[in-house]
Amino acid sequence: MPKFYFQLFDRDGAGTTETAYDFASIEAAKAEARRVLAEMATEGLPAAPLNMMSVELFDESRRPLAEIRLILEEIAKQPR
């Protein structure tokens, strides 16, 4: 079974996991990255200055495969 690594980026900065996780496919690993990102968001939404948090997915050779991001954007509206 392929091994994958995750790098988390939240309000506290980046943190890599040194533990390899086994998933049947890259799609299964991406689904887990999305779940982890949703869990991170329950602890607090992204804040300035970046207004984003992410989970980056790497293969067993630590080559980047995908990055799943949550971006918080505030759009000012002019009163009519």
Side-chain angles (χ1 to χ4, degrees):
M1 195 173 291
K3 295 188 181 308
F4 298 91
Y5 293 87
F6 297 101
Q7 180 171 351
L8 310 179
F9 186 87
D10 61 12
R11 294 179 298 179
D12 298 326
T16 56
T17 61
E18 295 301 321
T19 305
Y21 297 92
D22 294 325
F23 294 99
S25 67
I26 188 171
E27 292 309 317
K30 286 180 184 178
E32 178 65 9
R34 287 183 187 92
R35 189 197 65 72
V36 168
L37 185 59
E39 188 175 299
M40 289 166 54
T42 65
E43 296 173 9
L45 290 174
L50 296 179
N51 292 328
M52 78 94 180
M53 55 180 52
S54 69
V55 177
E56 193 168 3
L57 178 64
F58 297 85
D59 67 11
E60 59 191 18
S61 298
R62 304 287 177 112
R63 289 185 301 237
L65 299 172
E67 184 174 1
I68 312 297
R69 284 186 178 177
L70 175 64
I71 299 171
L72 183 64
E73 183 176 9
E74 181 179 319
I75 301 169
K77 301 289 184 174
Q78 297 296 325
R80 293 180 184 219

